[in-house]
Amino acid sequence: MCQHQPTCPTADSPDREAARLSAHHPEQGWSLLCNGVLLFEDTGELLPDGQIIAPHRPLAAGRVVKAA
């Protein structure tokens, strides 16, 4: 899929988010990477095989989360 030199990380690689952008639609909240990963604004991902990666945005520094 990727034609860059050096090639971008594959979709199953831990550093898959380092691949180059193929399409970018910030108004819709998503980007397509050249390795086929669909990257969402909330940091969630959809891999080419249909696997879902839950959002993994870090909490803001100094923020305290209260238990319900």
Side-chain angles (χ1 to χ4, degrees), residues 1-63:
M1 185 179 280
C2 176
Q3 310 244 342
H4 300 115
Q5 290 300 324
T7 57
C8 292
T10 62
D12 58 353
S13 175
D15 61 343
R16 65 182 153 260
E17 294 175 16
R20 294 189 191 184
L21 290 173
S22 289
H24 183 58
H25 293 277
E27 73 282 359
Q28 296 176 1
W30 62 272
S31 297
L32 177 65
L33 303 179
C34 74
N35 57 7
V37 172
L38 196 55
L39 185 61
F40 294 98
E41 180 179 87
D42 68 353
T43 70
E45 301 171 25
L46 180 61
L47 304 185
D49 65 1
Q51 182 181 356
I52 297 169
I53 307 295
H56 47 277
R57 180 181 295 163
L59 292 175
R63 183 175 170 191

